[in-house]
């Protein structure tokens, strides 16, 4: 697995790496890297009420 230094979403360096290094979780924003893919979940932007 490539060396991971920071989260691609919030740029935090507080990452939790599983023992087999297949899963990485950012402790700040919760973004997960599983099997080589970052799973970035963005909430839909709500429209402002007029």
């Amino acid at each position: 697995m490539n060396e991971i230094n920071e989260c691609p979403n919030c740029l935090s360096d507080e990452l939790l790496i599983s023992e087999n290094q297949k899963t990485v979780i950012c402790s700040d924003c919760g973004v997960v890297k599983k099997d080589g893919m970052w799973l970035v979940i963005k909430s839909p932007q709500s429209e402002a009420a007029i």
Side-chain angles (χ1 to χ4, degrees), residues 1 4 18 20-25 31-40:
M1 185 169 176
I4 300 168
S18 68
N20 62 4
Q21 297 186 352
K22 294 278 186 189
T23 305
V24 178
I25 301 172
V31 169
V32 176
K33 181 176 184 181
K34 188 167 186 169
D35 297 327
M37 291 184 60
W38 285 101
L39 306 175
V40 179

Side-chain angles (χ1 to χ4, degrees), residues 6-17 23-34 37-43:
E6 62 186 25
C7 172
N9 187 46
C10 70
L11 304 179
S12 170
D13 61 353
E14 298 294 323
L15 300 175
L16 305 171
I17 302 173
T23 305
V24 178
I25 301 172
C26 175
S27 62
D28 285 347
C29 70
V31 169
V32 176
K33 181 176 184 181
K34 188 167 186 169
M37 291 184 60
W38 285 101
L39 306 175
V40 179
I41 300 170
K42 293 186 178 182
S43 58

